[in-house]
Amino acid sequence: IDIKGRKYNMSVAGFVLSLVGVLVLPIVTGPLGVIFSCLGLKSKKKKGLAIAGLIIGIIDIVYAVIQLGKVA
């Protein structure tokens, strides 16, 4: 996504993957969301989406681990 000449692709990708992980396959999309959000944090401005993606991704991972613990 290009906002006023600046690209936020990694932040947006991390945020979207983390949100998808809330609904579907949190064990897969959660870690991907965390990775892309961490890459998005390297940008100097507009870190909001990256931080939100990181938090939601971590929640996805914790949720997936709890669910796997119930199954095993």
Side-chain angles (χ1 to χ4, degrees), residues 10-70:
M10 293 297 177
S11 298
V12 172
F15 181 71
V16 169
L17 283 169
S18 295
L19 279 180
V20 168
V22 171
L23 302 173
V24 186
L25 293 172
I27 195 71
V28 175
T29 57
L32 288 174
V34 169
I35 291 168
F36 282 108
S37 294
C38 287
L39 292 173
L41 281 173
K42 291 183 178 181
S43 67
K44 294 181 179 168
K45 295 182 180 179
K46 303 284 184 181
K47 296 182 180 183
L49 280 177
I51 293 170
L54 186 63
I55 292 170
I56 296 170
I58 291 170
I59 291 170
D60 287 346
I61 294 169
V62 169
Y63 175 74
V65 169
I66 290 171
Q67 291 301 318
L68 286 175
K70 287 182 181 179

